[in-house]
Amino acid sequence: MILGDQLTPGVSALRAGDRARDRVLMAEVMAEASYVPHHKKKIAFVFSAMRHFAEELRGEGWQVDYVKLDDPGNSGSLGGEVRRAAARTGLSRVLVTEPGEWRLLEEMRGWSDTELLPDDRFLADRHGFAEWAEGRKGLRMEHFYRLMRRKTGLLMEGDQPAEGRWNFDAENRSKADPDLLMPRPPRFAPDAITREVLDLVAARFPENFGTLEPFWFAVTRADAEAAFDHFVRHALPQFGTYQDAMLEGQAFLYHAVISPYLNAGLLDPLDLCRKVEAAWRAGAVPINSAEGFIRQVIGWREFVRGIYWWQMPGYDRVNALEAQRALPGFYWTGETPMNCLRACVEQTRDEAYAHHIQRLMVTGNFALLAGIDPHQLHEWYLSVYADAYEWVELPNTVGMSQFADGGLLASKPYVASGAYIDRMSNYCRGCAYDVKAKAGPKACPFNLLYWDFIARHRDRLARNPRMAQMVRTWDRFAPDKQEQLRRDAGHFLDSLA
Ligand code: FAD
Ligand code: DLZ
Ligand code: SF4
């Protein structure tokens, strides 16, 4: 059995299979298409990429049983489709690569005659990560990342990091200017297979979040590789410098926009990093870009996956800051006078994409400051992005963005007032609020909520060396100023629906 995010010719289940004897089963099922209300573009991408992969496998001599969502008799679940396939073919033994989500792994462990094979499309195997993590006092991505650099030899000169430093993060923080010549990810016109899927999604998921068309994602390995090559040539040179920048109307800036392809298995992470390293060695891209990209892929991506498997089950229910507020409706509609949030939600609705800083420092930062229930927020992130699978989304949401694991993943809460958003974007210019105002009806809500957050979690934050300075600043405010800030924040929070 091959799942919708296992579209890799060398995935362990295919390696272990025999094309002369075995049959490949792939199934579009309602259970997977509705365990969260996925963005329409995400469903279309997964189904179309699955159908193209089935064709690729047939071309390589595999017999593929492909079940479409609308096929008569579709049982609606992966387990049901395995049972139906067994009855149809007389075959009874199932080989499947371990799924990327705990809920499905648990389910598959209950299937009879099923062999689960490790998913070795990652650098760090999940048991090895847990061993490394176990017993360490503080887990830091940077330590793990250096291990991965050494393991792969990427950007290494002997046992030393290229250009003398492991991390060029400090050179990833420039503000971007609107530029008419900014590269855009290549767009792929839907073929007949994708058109059929688009009709299916429009008919069967009309109420789901998101705009279905225009649909331009790559849905084959060849097109995903072309998209990546385009990124390396046109955007990677600037990627490092503008990695943290945000611009209204520019959803992609200099980002790769490859996470849906990578997570579905259309692209291979190590292969991408080798190409990036080669571009740096050829002098085509600066070190801050090459290192910045490689850090995300062999560092963060692997690190969050390790944390997910190490901490599940239970990690989806962590709530160290006891945040209980319901997710505001504007996360779905974009209807808010806060221009940064409006822009990020509308872009998410249209593209099923937002880059890291939009997710972390706009939608994530707001939720953390406002005390939104991290589980509700997790379900939102898992729904709305085309690249979202729980193994990567959950640690980014509850760990990195919401500090809901109490600091297991991140060394401090990623909170910032409006000044940060103003420094990194042009959102504030078009906003009904005044980013410079700290009090009163025009005050940017991020400014009010920032101090309210510090006050609410004062004792915990005072113990964190990276937050203690802000706590001291809060403590020095006059009592009437503190009261005023908390009152204004309270009024704002009361107005959230
Ligand atoms: P680029 O900025 O061009 O980076 C290149 C690649 O690096 C990405 O394609 C991705 O594979 C990898 N990468 C970068 N940052 C991370 C990270 N923090 N964790 C894991 N991989 C990373 N990423 C997902 O793939 N799926 C998710 O569901 C997801 N949910 C997120 C939720 C929150 C709250 C936050 C803060 C981040 C989340 N991320 C997620 C990480 C990151 O935002 C996306 O990987 C990135 O925006 C994808 O766009 P890109 O391909 O243009 O990335
Ligand atoms: C995301 C997704 C969707 C929308 N639909 C399917 C599907 O119908 N069949 C399938 O095999 N996989 C699908 N997927 C991907 C799975 O949800 C994914 O394999 C698991 O969540 C494990 O990561
Ligand atoms: Fe966002 Fe505040 Fe800037 Fe408005 S003023 S765009 S709410 S940061």
Side-chain angles (χ1 to χ4, degrees):
M1 164 159 256
I2 298 293
L3 303 176
D5 56 356
Q6 298 179 342
L7 310 181
T8 312
V11 74
S12 52
L14 284 175
R15 286 208 315 275
D18 174 354
R19 66 191 81 182
R21 181 195 62 199
D22 299 329
R23 301 181 75 92
V24 174
L25 173 64
M26 298 178 72
E28 296 168 8
V29 294
M30 219 41 194
E32 292 307 305
S34 64
Y35 66 90
V36 287
H38 304 286
H39 193 296
K40 291 191 190 85
K41 275 198 166 82
K42 177 181 177 186
I43 304 176
F45 166 71
V46 173
F47 285 4
S48 180
M50 285 174 70
R51 291 183 186 193
H52 282 89
F53 188 67
E55 287 306 311
E56 193 183 326
L57 290 180
R58 285 189 183 115
E60 287 165 8
W62 288 95
Q63 295 190 66
V64 183
D65 284 12
Y66 192 97
V67 182
K68 292 182 177 173
L69 192 77
D70 273 349
D71 280 355
N74 186 327
S75 63
S77 74
L78 294 172
E81 286 316 295
V82 167
R83 285 190 295 277
R84 280 207 320 139
R88 205 167 49 234
T89 63
L91 300 177
S92 59
R93 193 165 153 255
V94 184
L95 280 177
V96 60
T97 297
E98 283 176 351
E101 300 192 343
W102 172 266
R103 66 179 172 87
L104 202 51
L105 181 65
E106 273 298 275
E107 187 190 318
M108 286 182 171
R109 281 182 174 146
W111 292 359
S112 55
D113 298 310
T114 299
E115 188 178 343
L116 288 158
L117 301 165
D119 188 348
D120 52 14
R121 297 174 299 166
F122 296 87
L123 289 176
D125 88 272
R126 56 194 187 86
H127 305 291
F129 182 92
E131 263 167 44
W132 172 81
E134 210 71 59
R136 284 188 159 248
K137 259 206 164 151
L139 282 188
R140 288 298 152 251
M141 198 291 288
E142 186 64 25
H143 301 149
F144 172 80
Y145 169 51
R146 292 180 190 186
L147 280 180
M148 293 300 110
R149 288 273 293 276
R150 290 205 155 96
K151 179 173 177 174
T152 57
L154 283 163
L155 297 182
M156 297 297 292
E157 307 288 2
D159 66 348
Q160 291 305 307
E163 300 202 11
R165 268 161 58 195
W166 290 101
N167 188 315
F168 290 77
D169 197 18
E171 281 139 64
N172 297 151
R173 295 180 192 149
S174 297
K175 184 170 181 156
D177 288 321
D179 175 358
L180 292 175
L181 301 177
M182 196 173 286
R184 296 177 71 187
R187 293 173 172 246
F188 301 91
D191 64 4
I193 294 178
T194 301
R195 285 248 61 93
E196 191 184 307
V197 166
L198 292 173
D199 290 344
L200 172 76
V201 173
R204 295 292 301 274
F205 303 93
E207 302 304 327
N208 283 39
F209 176 71
T211 316
L212 183 58
E213 298 203 50
F215 181 92
W216 51 264
F217 286 140
V219 289
T220 63
R221 177 174 333 285
D223 283 351
E225 277 168 4
F228 182 70
D229 292 345
H230 183 276
F231 161 72
V232 172
R233 250 194 327 279
H234 300 291
L236 180 62
Q238 309 276 39
F239 170 82
T241 305
Y242 299 115
Q243 206 171 327
D244 289 2
M246 299 175 281
L247 273 182
E248 191 159 4
Q250 293 288 350
F252 310 108
L253 287 120
Y254 300 96
H255 290 272
V257 197
I258 48 142
S259 45
Y261 314 147
L262 201 47
N263 296 345
L266 298 182
L267 296 174
D268 174 66
L270 196 52
D271 180 46
L272 303 185
C273 292
R274 298 240 182 268
K275 285 185 176 160
V276 166
E277 182 185 41
W280 168 72
R281 289 201 188 275
V285 304
I287 188 76
N288 69 331
S289 285
E291 190 281 320
F293 181 87
I294 288 172
R295 176 168 12 105
Q296 307 312 320
V297 175
I298 68 166
W300 280 112
R301 186 169 184 271
E302 296 277 340
F303 185 68
V304 298
R305 177 174 182 266
I307 301 248
Y308 176 76
W309 285 111
W310 180 42
Q311 290 297 307
M312 284 299 277
Y315 199 54
D316 57 339
R317 291 285 166 187
V318 292
N319 192 356
L321 301 183
E322 295 174 23
Q324 308 291 355
R325 193 173 299 280
L327 186 73
F330 66 72
Y331 274 75
W332 298 105
T333 63
E335 285 166 15
T336 163
M338 290 179 278
N339 198 40
C340 51
L341 279 157
R342 182 201 54 75
C344 290
V345 171
E346 287 183 359
Q347 177 196 312
T348 299
R349 177 197 65 200
D350 294 341
E351 308 287 1
Y353 175 85
H355 71 68
H356 188 65
I357 295 300
Q358 294 177 308
R359 298 187 207 195
L360 185 66
M361 299 311 290
V362 180
T363 45
N365 182 21
F366 182 83
L368 177 55
L369 292 174
I372 306 297
D373 175 354
H375 189 78
Q376 287 190 26
L377 188 71
H378 147 60
E379 293 198 322
W380 182 80
Y381 280 110
L382 189 56
S383 306
V384 301
Y385 292 113
D387 58 20
Y389 300 89
E390 201 179 72
W391 65 266
V392 52
E393 173 279 325
L394 183 68
N396 268 299
T397 303
V398 302
M400 186 184 307
S401 157
Q402 299 300 296
F403 209 69
D405 61 7
L408 179 80
L409 189 149
S411 55
K412 73 171 188 92
Y414 279 100
V415 280
S417 66
Y420 173 87
I421 294 174
D422 193 31
R423 190 161 67 245
M424 296 313 301
S425 77
N426 60 359
Y427 291 142
C428 300
R429 273 184 235 158
C431 189
Y433 293 104
D434 177 358
V435 70
K436 300 263 180 323
K438 309 269 191 276
K442 280 281 190 187
C444 164
F446 285 83
N447 295 345
L448 300 173
L449 294 178
Y450 182 82
W451 290 116
D452 193 56
F453 176 86
I454 303 282
R456 284 200 315 271
H457 302 293
R458 189 202 166 284
D459 295 346
R460 175 189 282 270
L461 298 178
R463 295 193 299 271
N464 183 316
R466 298 186 65 193
M467 295 302 290
Q469 174 62 38
M470 295 322 282
V471 173
R472 281 195 292 276
T473 305
W474 167 257
D475 287 348
R476 279 198 298 268
F477 287 167
D480 57 337
K481 180 173 177 181
Q482 289 185 343
E483 230 170 81
Q484 174 74 45
L485 277 166
R486 296 215 61 183
R487 213 174 22 246
D488 286 354
H491 288 320
F492 175 80
L493 288 172
D494 288 344
S495 74
L496 287 178

